[in-house]
Amino acid sequence: MQQEIRFATFNVCNLAPAGEKLYDNLEPLSPAQYEAKAEWTARQIDLLDADVIGFQEIFSQAALRDVLSRTRHYREATLASHDASDAAGRMLPTVALVSRLPLAGAGVAWTNFPSGVSVPADQHTADEQACRFARAPLHVQVLLPGGQLTDVVVVHLKSRRPDYRHGDGSDAAAYALANLRSLQRRGAEAVALRVLASELGRSGRPRIVLGDFNDIANAVTTSIVMGAGAPCELGMEMRERLYDANAIQLRQDAARHGGYTNIHDSNYMTIDHILVSEHFHAASPRAIGVVQEVNCLNDHLLLGLPHASDHGQVLARIKLLGNMD
C-alpha cells in the first residue's frame, strides 16, 4: 500500500484562455503569454508531484485541462471543477481539485452560506450576495490508500483588496472603510466555512481544508476556520479542531521552514494553507497518519517571472500510520 500521501494548494493567478477579458484593469493574455503561463504551470504541477492538488483562480476548466495535458504525471488525473460567469457572460474565478487518488463522486460547490450566517448588513450589498461565497468552496470526497474516505475542501476566501463602492472618496476614512468591507466579507466566509467544516466532522471522517485564505495562519479569520480556542466538551477538543499542517509537521526546522507564499508591499506572508483534522495529528489517539513535512515552492516570487503565479505553492507530505519508517 502507498506509504505517503501528498496534498498541495496552488493559486495559479488568473488561468484563462488567451484573449479572454477577465477584469477591466487587466489585459487579456496574448497567445504567446498563455503558452508561457500554461507551460510554467504544468512544470510547477509536476514539481509538486502531489496526490491531490487544490487550485484557485481557475477561470476555465478547458484551460486547466490543457495545462494538465502538458504535465508528465497528471494526464490521467481526475479533475473536479466548474465554470462560472457573471450576468454579462464574463468568466469568474473558481476553485478546482485534481487528484491521482480515486474520488467517491463528483465535487460539490458550496455556493451558499449555512443558515444564520451572512455578511454584515450594507445598503450596497444585495441580499443574495450577503449570504453567498464570492468564490464557492469545493467539497470532494477522496479515497486514501487502504480505502479511507476523506473530505477535502478547496477554498479561496475574500482578498484583502479594499472594497470601494461607487462614489467613495480617496481619503483615509474611505480607504479604511473599504478595507473593513473586505475584512467583513472574509470574516463571514470564514464563519460559514467553519460551520460547514464542523458539519462534515460529525461523520468522523478525516478532513482536509486547503487553499488561499488571504490571511496568515494566526489571523482571526483563519483561526475561525480552524476552530481554535472554541469551547467544547471534555475530550472533544481535537475532534472539533482543524490544524495548520505547517505548525504540526514533525520535521520542524525554524531555519528551513520560514516559507512564504505571497509578497505584498515588501511583506513576506504565508496566506495559502493546508488545514487537517486530528486524523493527521501525531498527538491524536485517532490518527491515521501524521504530517511529516510541509514545503513552500516560492523561488519564482523573487524572480519576477511574468508568466508565473504571484503565489507560492504549499505541499504537505503525510505518512500513513502502519507504514512508518
Side-chain angles (χ1 to χ4, degrees):
M1 188 178 77
Q2 184 177 342
Q3 295 183 353
E4 180 182 281
I5 52 176
R6 298 158 69 99
F7 287 82
T9 181
F10 188 170
N11 184 322
V12 297
C13 187
N14 301 333
L15 181 63
E20 286 289 341
K21 186 71 172 175
L22 305 180
Y23 300 110
D24 292 336
N25 62 345
L26 183 67
E27 289 298 317
L29 293 177
S30 68
Q33 288 171 326
Y34 172 80
E35 185 70 15
K37 183 175 185 64
E39 285 293 326
W40 180 87
T41 305
R43 289 195 301 271
Q44 204 74 357
I45 291 171
D46 276 331
L47 185 61
L48 285 168
D49 196 23
D51 297 293
V52 177
I53 306 177
F55 293 91
Q56 300 85 44
E57 296 196 18
I58 302 297
F59 282 81
S60 164
Q61 288 191 72
L64 181 54
R65 288 194 183 96
D66 176 52
V67 167
L68 295 175
S69 73
R70 299 167 186 252
T71 66
R72 291 181 292 115
H73 304 306
Y74 294 86
R75 295 176 184 176
E76 304 301 321
T78 303
L79 169 62
S81 182
H82 68 283
D83 286 328
S85 58
D86 62 17
R90 182 176 290 186
M91 291 178 170
L92 294 174
T94 65
V95 302
L97 179 140
V98 170
S99 178
R100 298 187 302 203
L101 298 176
L103 305 184
V108 176
W110 288 342
T111 304
N112 297 318
F113 290 171
S115 177
V117 181
S118 65
V119 179
D122 187 313
Q123 61 179 338
H124 300 291
T125 301
D127 290 341
E128 65 272 13
Q129 293 176 330
C131 298
R132 296 166 61 96
F133 287 97
R135 292 166 291 225
L138 180 68
H139 170 219
V140 183
Q141 293 187 317
V142 177
L143 285 168
L144 302 186
Q148 174 64 61
L149 194 63
T150 299
D151 293 298
V152 181
V153 182
V154 186
V155 305
H156 188 184
L157 300 188
K158 174 68 177 71
S159 73
R160 293 187 176 196
R161 184 177 297 111
D163 183 8
Y164 283 105
R165 301 299 167 85
H166 181 70
D168 281 352
S170 57
D171 58 10
Y175 176 72
L177 287 170
N179 277 283
L180 176 60
R181 292 190 196 101
S182 291
L183 176 59
Q184 289 174 326
R185 161 62 67 176
R186 189 166 63 257
E189 291 184 341
V191 172
L193 190 55
R194 165 96 293 253
V195 173
L196 293 167
S198 294
E199 290 176 353
L200 285 181
R202 294 172 187 166
S203 69
R205 296 188 297 264
R207 292 166 292 159
I208 296 179
V209 179
L210 51 81
D212 179 357
F213 289 72
N214 266 306
D215 228 330
I216 60 176
N218 62 354
V220 172
T221 52
T222 315
S223 296
I224 287 172
V225 178
M226 289 190 285
C232 56
E233 296 179 14
L234 185 64
M236 293 293 290
E237 179 180 1
M238 292 199 75
R239 298 188 186 193
E240 291 292 325
R241 282 282 310 275
L242 292 171
Y243 299 87
D244 176 16
N246 189 58
I248 65 170
Q249 62 180 312
L250 295 185
R251 294 180 182 172
Q252 291 285 352
D253 184 335
R256 264 189 85 226
H257 294 290
Y260 56 89
T261 65
N262 187 254
I263 304 173
H264 181 69
D265 288 341
S266 298
N267 293 316
Y268 292 70
M269 301 181 294
T270 298
I271 60 176
D272 304 84
H273 309 290
I274 298 175
L275 309 181
V276 299
S277 62
E278 62 162 340
H279 304 81
F280 305 107
H281 195 309
S284 172
R286 290 169 289 276
I288 64 170
V290 293
V291 179
Q292 286 285 97
E293 189 172 30
V294 176
N295 293 304
C296 290
L297 281 64
N298 56 17
D299 288 347
H300 58 280
L301 296 178
L302 296 177
L303 296 175
L305 304 175
H307 50 270
S309 173
D310 58 351
H311 281 246
Q313 293 79 57
V314 180
L315 172 69
R317 298 174 50 226
I318 298 174
K319 207 74 166 173
L320 296 176
L321 291 177
N323 297 286
M324 299 290 290
D325 292 334

